[in-house]
Amino acid sequence: MHSVIIPAYNEEKLISKTASVIDGILCGANIDHELLFVNDGSKDGTWSEIEKQALKYNTVRGICFSRNFGKESAIFAGIAQCRGDCAVVIDCDLQHPPEKIVEMYRLWEQGYEVVEGVKTDRGRESGFHRFAAKSFYEIMSNAVGFDMSRASDFKLLDRKAINVLLNMNEKNAFFRALSSWIGFKSTQVEYEVREREEGESKWSTKVLFKYALTNIASFSSAPMQIVTILGIIVFIVGLASTIEALISYARGMAQAGFTTVIILQCFTGSFIMIGLGIIGFYISKIYDEVKGRPRYIIDRTVGDKN
Ligand code: UDP
Ligand code: MG
């Protein structure tokens, strides 16, 4: 069986359309499937829509979170609960072309264990958004060791890959990078990002910024090394100033160094503060991990008998 995992947050207008489109495509292609909607604590009628679809289609199941836990958690809940031999993760807003699911499934039948959907372009985005995304993906690509600039959450995973992901105990897991990091026989399918059909994007700049920082911290310790490098630079500058001050002292012109002292104080102070901030950020992430809280809490499910 093929599972389709669909995270949904405030998508009441789209649930029925998404269910009918994806179900139609998979029935047409003769693929035994289930659609697993994960309601990520929506504040609108998303859950009742999912319940309606579960009554209408015997392929639809639903999981309802007790509150909003974020898309990453919704994806992990989906892969934990799905019953398929392979599963594909797709956005609820039909921005990922659903007919590609069939193409991905055929590749899985040929023996590929991870099939990544890669964007041919990034769709319509503002200049700032594009720049921020580019910087984020550059840092991530360096940390992970492969190009992430066109990566997305639209991918198919074999049961083997799913089990590996489920056995990882990370709380701040970044699905998009982790599913490539695990390896296995993989291939890519290109797709064009479509316009959102209804509603609007759920990501504000603030949320995206937090998301980027968390994911960089979960994959890379480079920011912590920046502190060491800054420390070395400050040390060298300090050494040069000391020598200069000593020479002035020997020549009897000692008072002139006042400005240097101020500048040095400012630099050292700010570098120490930046350093402490970065270390604090990592410690907060370690704190999140050791607390061992669940990544999400399931309130209700529907369609378990489907
Ligand atoms: N989503 C979610 N939880 C969230 C935010 C978004 O499950 O906290 C879902 C959303 O319903 C959609 C997908 O993640 O199915 C992608 O969200 P969106 O379309 O808002 O993002 P964009 O396409 O703008 O990157
Ligand atoms: Mg979208």
Side-chain angles (χ1 to χ4, degrees), residues 6-11 38-42 65 68-72 74-75 90-96 119 122 125 129 153 176 193-194 196 200-203 207-208:
I6 313 163
Y9 176 54
N10 294 346
E11 306 277 11
V38 184
N39 174 29
D40 185 11
S42 304
F65 281 179
N68 180 253
F69 280 92
K71 187 183 177 190
E72 295 289 313
I75 294 175
I90 186 167
D91 279 3
C92 190
D93 53 11
L94 296 174
Q95 279 188 297
H96 299 152
K119 304 168 186 166
R122 295 192 49 89
E125 278 172 347
H129 195 116
D153 288 330
R176 204 170 290 190
V193 181
R194 293 204 184 133
R196 198 173 226 286
E200 53 192 33
S201 176
K202 309 290 179 294
W203 304 88
V207 170
L208 274 178

Side-chain angles (χ1 to χ4, degrees), residues 249-267:
Y249 182 74
R251 285 185 184 163
M253 313 185 299
Q255 271 149 14
F258 191 66
T259 336
T260 330
V261 173
I262 295 289
I263 292 173
L264 278 180
Q265 283 243 313
C266 292
F267 269 115

Side-chain angles (χ1 to χ4, degrees), residues 90-109:
I90 186 167
D91 279 3
C92 190
D93 53 11
L94 296 174
Q95 279 188 297
H96 299 152
E99 40 316 327
K100 290 278 172 188
I101 299 178
V102 178
E103 199 180 323
M104 289 175 155
Y105 185 79
R106 299 288 173 234
L107 286 164
W108 175 77
E109 285 181 323

Side-chain angles (χ1 to χ4, degrees), residues 134-146:
K134 195 166 168 272
S135 320
F136 169 64
Y137 280 113
E138 242 158 56
I139 298 175
M140 282 311 289
S141 304
N142 279 331
V144 190
F146 38 78

Side-chain angles (χ1 to χ4, degrees), residues 30-215:
N30 246 331
I31 299 173
D32 179 27
H33 62 277
E34 64 168 3
L35 306 187
L36 180 54
F37 282 96
V38 184
N39 174 29
D40 185 11
S42 304
K43 293 180 183 65
D44 61 0
T46 303
W47 181 243
S48 61
E49 274 299 319
I50 295 173
E51 285 181 320
K52 267 187 230 159
Q53 302 311 312
L55 288 178
K56 191 165 157 199
Y57 301 96
N58 58 13
T59 49
V60 171
R61 290 166 62 206
I63 301 172
C64 183
F65 281 179
S66 59
R67 64 167 170 86
N68 180 253
F69 280 92
K71 187 183 177 190
E72 295 289 313
S73 300
I75 294 175
F76 277 93
I79 62 172
Q81 303 287 324
C82 72
R83 300 170 181 157
D85 304 308
C86 63
V88 68
V89 177
I90 186 167
D91 279 3
C92 190
D93 53 11
L94 296 174
Q95 279 188 297
H96 299 152
E99 40 316 327
K100 290 278 172 188
I101 299 178
V102 178
E103 199 180 323
M104 289 175 155
Y105 185 79
R106 299 288 173 234
L107 286 164
W108 175 77
E109 285 181 323
Q110 289 168 26
Y112 289 101
E113 284 146 346
V114 177
V115 184
E116 321 232 4
V118 295
K119 304 168 186 166
T120 48
D121 70 308
R122 295 192 49 89
R124 258 215 326 236
E125 278 172 347
S126 69
F128 172 72
H129 195 116
R130 197 173 282 267
F131 168 76
K134 195 166 168 272
S135 320
F136 169 64
Y137 280 113
E138 242 158 56
I139 298 175
M140 282 311 289
S141 304
N142 279 331
V144 190
F146 38 78
D147 180 26
M148 294 264 319
S149 59
R150 290 154 68 216
S152 72
D153 288 330
F154 185 31
K155 31 185 123 215
L156 179 145
L157 299 172
D158 179 64
R159 179 48 64 187
K160 210 157 73 180
I162 294 176
N163 288 342
V164 170
L165 285 181
L166 291 178
N167 283 329
M168 294 192 182
N169 291 321
E170 286 180 51
K171 296 285 170 317
N172 284 313
F174 182 35
F175 176 72
R176 204 170 290 190
L178 214 50
S179 53
S180 312
W181 178 86
I182 55 172
F184 294 116
K185 192 174 174 205
S186 8
T187 185
Q188 298 186 333
V189 164
E190 292 208 336
Y191 72 91
E192 247 170 69
V193 181
R194 293 204 184 133
E195 290 292 308
R196 198 173 226 286
E197 303 242 338
E198 289 278 353
E200 53 192 33
S201 176
K202 309 290 179 294
W203 304 88
S204 63
T205 309
K206 191 177 141 209
V207 170
L208 274 178
F209 187 65
K210 232 174 94 185
Y211 180 75
L213 284 186
T214 303
N215 291 325

